[in-house]
Each structure stands twice: as C-alpha cells, then as structure tokens.
Amino acid sequence: MYTAHPDRYADMPYRRTGRSGLKLPALSLGLWHNFGPDRPAETQRAILRRAFDLGVTHFDLANNYGPPPGAAETALGEALKADFARYRDELVISTKAGYLMWPGPYGEWGSRKYLLSSLDQSLSRMGLDHVDIFYSHRFDPDTPLEETMGALHTAVQQGKALYVGVSNYDAEQTREAARILGELGTPLLINQPRYSMLDRRPEDEGLMDALDELQVGSIAYSPLEQGLLTSRYLDGIPEDSRAASDSPFLNTDALTEELVGRLRALADIASARGQSLAQMALSWVLRGGRLTSALVGASSPQQLEDSVAATRDLDFSDEELARIDAIVQQ
C-alpha cells in the first residue's frame, strides 16, 4: 500500500490563487499526455505517487485527455482508488469541458447541456463526487456567455465543483466571465492560458494585466512549448520524440535552424544558472510570483523530479532577463 512521504510539504512553494483561500503548488501535474492505455499503468501510478511525495498536490485534467478521450480521467480514477483515497482532501483535482468529446451537436463547446453532462461523465470516470476546479475549456462564440458561466455556477451549486475557471479565454472574455460569475455569486477562480518564454501572448495581449486587476489566479499550460524548451531538440530530432511523430501539437516544420539556434543560446544561459533549459523555462514563467502555478507533464518520475527542481531558483538578474528577451525576440 502506498504511503505518502511525511515531508511532502517541506520544499514545494504554494501560492494563493487570486483572492481565494485556495493555494496551488508552484508546479502542478498535467495529465494531457502520458496517461492512457498506451502507457504502462504502473508508470502512470509511479508518476502520480512521486508527484504527491514532492508536494505536487494539483492534478489537472480535461474530459478529452488521453488518447482516447476520457482515458486520462479513467487512469486517475484507478490511481485515486488504489493509492490516494485517504489523501483526497490533500489533493486539488481539476477537469475541463469544451473540446470535442462525443459526436453530435451536444458534444463540445459551451452549452449548458454539454458542460453539465460532461462533468457528470468526468466524475464517473474518476470515481469522485466532486472536482475542486471545473473549467470552461474554451470560449464558445455561438453560446451566450451567460449560459456557459451559468452552467459553471450550477456545478458549484450542485456540489460537483468547489471552484470554477476558464481556459483559453482572452482578456476581455475573462473580464466578462468574471462579471457574470460575480453577479451569480460564484467567483472566477483562475484562468489557464498557454504561456512560455516563446509564447508571451498573455503578457502582450493584456491577459495578465486583466487577471491582476480582477484578482483572478493563473496557471500556465505548455510552459515548455511541447518539449521545445528542453534539451531534446538541441542536436536534432530524436526518432522517439513528439516532433518526429508529426504530432498535431509539434511537428518537424516548427524546428527550423533559426529556432534551434535560439534554443541553444537559451540553453547556454540556463547552464550558467546551473539549470537545464527546461528548468530555466519553468523558473521563467514562475518568476516574480505573478503566475499562480505552471503545468508540467511527465513521462517518468525522474522527469518530474527534474521539473520540480526548477522551483529552487526562481530569481533572475536583470541581465539574464534582458539576454533571454533578446534571444527570443530576435
């Protein structure tokens, strides 16, 4: 039987989410990739156990994570039953709905019917009576935002979610979502945007400013740009890499000579800091405390350990930040 490490809270920084009472670990575990029937179940459970032992108390999912869709939630449900049942109140478990999950007109986007049906299915797969955070995974241009936010509010009223969030919403969409939820009495807890050294749209397009203004939390996905901001591609494209598989999230066309040159220059800065490129990329998104948490994936416990080590050095000199900006923006 799994027993959690007694010192699991000793080293991980925890940050308050917006103005709520909920704190999240600086690094959260995302189950977007690596959790499904194509991976050994024991490896998946080992990653989750190691995460919790390191103080990573937040496991982030969505209804369509797999493959196939739903597989990640099923895998987590099995791990919760086997290893984490007695630790449920120490965990923050989140899921989302918005992307295609089943065929027909009610299987995606932001209708009340889809969101609440999807949440019921997610809870069933995970064997839970509630999640801690339920997200609208993407803005639906064809459904009134009042309906989408009303569905999130209903999930809280029904006791099936403790908090609600949005993902892939821009600044104005987030402001309006926060206004509607505030009027309903269910505050917007958090926004989950894509954000990294190479993708700064949350800063450039005003989302981070809006979140500061609204006192809403933030958690970044793809802080390593689907593996680009690691050492994996500094010397070519490995045969077993995501880029070599022509994944829809990363393909060989993205890895130009110019980009690889910039990645190598960033890796040199990381090395001088005593970090890997991946660790520096995680430290960079967490710098200054503006971001609540960053999501990392892991294909092994060791990879997770390497990511968590990034939280030991979140400070950058002005010179380091200027050099990073010069490389990224050239």
Side-chain angles (χ1 to χ4, degrees), residues 105-153:
Y106 318 119
E108 62 178 327
W109 292 106
S111 72
R112 180 180 181 85
K113 178 172 177 60
Y114 166 66
L115 290 174
L116 295 178
S117 296
S118 177
L119 178 56
D120 284 341
Q121 292 182 24
S122 292
L123 293 173
S124 178
R125 282 188 290 270
M126 291 186 284
L128 297 174
D129 60 5
H130 74 277
V131 292
D132 297 282
I133 309 171
F134 182 47
Y135 288 88
S136 168
H137 206 166
R138 60 173 169 171
F139 178 79
D140 183 349
D142 296 322
T143 297
L145 194 55
E146 288 81 1
E147 178 176 341
T148 301
M149 295 302 106
L152 298 185
H153 170 67

Side-chain angles (χ1 to χ4, degrees), residues 253-269:
D253 292 340
L255 284 159
T256 63
E257 289 186 14
E258 185 270 339
L259 175 58
V260 172
R262 286 193 286 159
L263 295 177
R264 288 173 179 160
L266 291 171
D268 289 342
I269 299 174

Side-chain angles (χ1 to χ4, degrees), residues 24 28-36 44 48 56-80 84 88 91-99 101 114 118-119 121-128 130-138 165-168 190 192 219-221 295-297:
L24 292 180
S28 299
L29 180 63
L31 279 67
W32 184 7
H33 304 293
N34 302 315
F35 286 83
Q44 297 174 50
L48 293 166
V56 179
T57 53
H58 178 208
F59 299 157
D60 178 81
L61 301 99
N63 57 357
N64 63 331
Y65 288 177
E73 289 179 331
T74 299
L76 180 64
E78 293 169 353
L80 290 173
F84 296 101
R88 172 62 182 98
L91 293 171
V92 173
I93 297 172
S94 59
T95 196
K96 315 175 198 71
Y99 286 94
M101 189 59 191
Y114 166 66
S118 177
L119 178 56
Q121 292 182 24
S122 292
L123 293 173
S124 178
R125 282 188 290 270
M126 291 186 284
L128 297 174
H130 74 277
V131 292
D132 297 282
I133 309 171
F134 182 47
Y135 288 88
S136 168
H137 206 166
R138 60 173 169 171
V166 296
S167 181
N168 299 302
I190 195 166
Q192 185 176 133
I219 180 168
Y221 74 88
L295 283 165
V296 295

Side-chain angles (χ1 to χ4, degrees), residues 168-242:
N168 299 302
Y169 278 51
D170 67 22
E172 291 309 311
Q173 293 161 354
T174 300
R175 283 193 176 93
E176 184 64 5
R179 182 192 67 78
I180 294 167
L181 285 168
E183 291 177 354
L184 292 170
T186 297
L188 177 63
L189 176 79
I190 195 166
N191 186 313
Q192 185 176 133
R194 182 167 182 152
Y195 178 53
S196 74
M197 284 195 295
L198 299 180
D199 187 346
R200 304 186 180 194
R201 284 174 293 176
E203 290 181 356
D204 297 340
E205 297 175 3
L207 176 61
M208 298 299 284
D209 290 338
L211 297 177
D212 289 344
E213 171 192 323
L214 296 166
Q215 294 183 279
V216 168
S218 54
I219 180 168
Y221 74 88
S222 293
L224 302 181
E225 281 298 309
Q226 296 295 315
L228 281 179
L229 288 168
T230 70
S231 61
R232 196 150 174 75
Y233 300 106
L234 298 181
D235 298 306
I237 302 175
E239 291 183 2
D240 62 344
S241 67
R242 187 170 297 161

